[in-house]
Amino acid sequence: MYTTVLILHSLVKWCVLLALILTLYRSYKGYFYNLPYYKIDNSIRHWTVTIAHIQLVLGIILYAQSPIIQYFWRNLKDAFYEMDIVFFGLIHFLLMCWAIIVLTIGSALAKRKLNKKDKYKTTVIWFTIALLIILIAIPWPFSPLSNRPYIRTF
């Protein structure tokens, strides 16, 4: 089960990133061109956060099952000397949780705005912050913190 969830987590990452980029594209465009706030904009915002929450659940399942995390908590003193272990034990987990909180708050605030310009502006600000956090916290193949392949396979 662990391997399957790990692969799903790797694939859903791309769905989250694509949804975030689409939401931000539409929000920046809507804000700067003073476009109406369409129903599709609301749906995309909502589904972006939903996909991010699915990714969070997969991440929590991985966190509970991961041998890296188990080693981290059993050998806390020694684990802090290994950046890869610290990254997944604390940095990745905390930053991603923070990003999901930022997305959720931003989505809730945008949903409650009455003015279309305010809806777009709120989405732009909060979702951009969340995207930046996510981009920092992903273990890219080129990351100095910890690296993993772009897509996990069996």
Side-chain angles (χ1 to χ4, degrees):
M1 179 179 129
Y2 174 76
T3 306
T4 304
V5 175
L6 186 62
I7 291 167
L8 281 173
H9 188 67
S10 176
L11 293 173
V12 174
K13 160 184 69 182
W14 294 107
C15 296
V16 171
L17 289 172
L18 289 172
L20 255 172
I21 290 167
L22 176 62
T23 303
L24 284 171
Y25 170 76
R26 291 188 63 90
S27 296
Y28 274 101
K29 189 175 173 184
Y31 180 75
F32 287 113
Y33 292 110
N34 205 27
L35 299 174
Y37 195 82
Y38 297 106
K39 188 175 180 181
I40 188 74
D41 294 311
N42 190 51
S43 294
I44 291 170
R45 176 202 48 79
H46 170 77
W47 280 104
T48 299
V49 176
T50 301
I51 294 166
H53 281 102
I54 291 167
Q55 180 73 334
L56 176 65
V57 170
L58 292 171
I60 290 170
I61 292 168
L62 281 176
Y63 196 82
Q65 300 294 319
S66 171
I68 294 172
I69 305 306
Q70 291 171 8
Y71 173 82
F72 174 77
W73 288 111
R74 287 189 188 128
N75 305 292
L76 209 50
K77 199 179 238 185
D78 296 328
F80 270 99
Y81 293 105
E82 299 176 49
M83 191 57 193
D84 199 49
I85 308 266
V86 173
F87 178 79
F88 287 107
L90 284 178
I91 297 169
H92 179 73
F93 181 74
L94 293 175
L95 285 178
M96 289 303 191
C97 286
W98 187 30
I100 300 301
I101 290 168
V102 169
L103 271 178
T104 305
I105 291 170
S107 178
L109 290 174
K111 183 168 95 174
R112 287 165 178 74
K113 297 290 182 187
L114 300 176
N115 181 319
K116 65 179 178 175
K117 191 112 172 153
D118 290 339
K119 285 180 180 285
Y120 283 129
K121 182 180 177 182
T122 304
T123 304
V124 162
I125 292 169
W126 289 84
F127 281 45
T128 300
I129 293 168
L131 179 61
L132 291 174
I133 296 167
I134 289 169
L135 291 174
I136 291 167
I138 290 176
W140 298 106
F142 52 83
S143 174
L145 300 172
S146 180
N147 50 43
R148 295 293 186 267
Y150 287 115
I151 296 176
R152 291 277 193 154
T153 58
F154 284 100

